[in-house]
Amino acid sequence: MRARAHERIVRLADARPELPVLFGEAAKVLATALPFDASCWHTMDPATLIETGLYFQNMPPAGPDVAAYAYLDDDFNSFTALAHAPRHSGVLSDATAGQLGRSPRYRELLRPNNIRGELRTAFVVDGSCWGCFAFFREAPGDFTEDERDFAHDVAAVLGRGFRSAGLQARGTMPGTRWPGLLVVDAVRGIESMTHPARPWLADLGAPDERDPLPFVLLAVAERVRRCAGEATAQVRGESGQWIQVHASPMSGGPPGRVAIILQAVAAPEVARLISAAYGFTARQRELIDLVLRGYGTSEIAARLFISPHTVQGHLKSIFAKAGVRSRRELVGRVYQG
């Protein structure tokens, strides 16, 4: 059963579906090998390991308390710790040596919902984490070591699927937009905002300021509150544009307020994300950087001390990986997603 599920996950990742399809289909496949009563899945910013999106099954909507307790870095089996660990999956009862009450996440979120078994997995591929899941079983159910190890075995495959799926969404590229600023209060509501913040919020799925705060904003705000410093994440909006979310604590006034700036991700940063997603080599990344700066074949060859023929060979490989046919299309992929 698990061998077949692994094969199906490989085929799914190779098909490079868009994120909603990947979430749904991967959950169906893994339910046959790792039965669960509920689950949550996330995309992650590989640079900061902040959760940027989510998909729930058989769970209530993610309220502010979920962001406050579910993603504590100092709790057992945090996704950050699993991403850096030799094994990228973990069972909560194993990590706590059977003393589940040692986990704030268990005390505040799982136990009140009659959940005992929790299996977490970080999708790490080529050293970067692109997503994660948490599977849950109602008491007295739990997950076994064999199930934990199988989850680790599929982690890299899911990572490969998630890093490519993040680039599949397409939309109309909006015109130039000013950065937007909003202030989140201590109870995780919008206290105030500038007018340019409104289209950014809409691009994150909250067209009305009375809508629940988009998950990525909850995540960065909680990171700021926990570390009393700044936090940043890059997330793709519904338009297809990459959005930089930067949060920092407010000084003065009531405690717990967080200022968040929303703006377009700079092209070099987008190029790095795309390079990682398509698995470009270090040399190919150098070429992409020079192409974005407007250099021609001869200039690139001179700067990299290679022949123009070698430059063309590298560009051919880059075009094939990115699914484009020209430099213009490559530049469009970076600037327009």
Side-chain angles (χ1 to χ4, degrees), residues 172-180 196 199-200 203 239 241 262-264 335:
T172 301
M173 178 66 176
T176 301
R177 291 189 284 181
W178 287 97
W200 292 112
D203 207 358
S239 68
Q241 183 173 23
L262 303 172
Q263 61 187 26
Y335 282 91

Side-chain angles (χ1 to χ4, degrees), residues 190-212:
I190 296 178
E191 177 182 291
S192 60
M193 60 188 296
T194 61
H195 184 73
R198 297 179 186 277
W200 292 112
L201 280 174
D203 207 358
L204 291 173
D208 191 305
E209 63 185 86
R210 293 168 295 183
D211 291 333

Side-chain angles (χ1 to χ4, degrees), residues 138-162:
E138 294 182 357
D142 203 353
F143 292 90
T144 67
E145 291 185 4
D146 286 344
E147 290 174 320
R148 177 201 64 194
D149 293 343
F150 172 76
H152 169 75
D153 290 340
V154 299
V157 182
L158 289 167
R160 181 160 50 84
F162 269 65

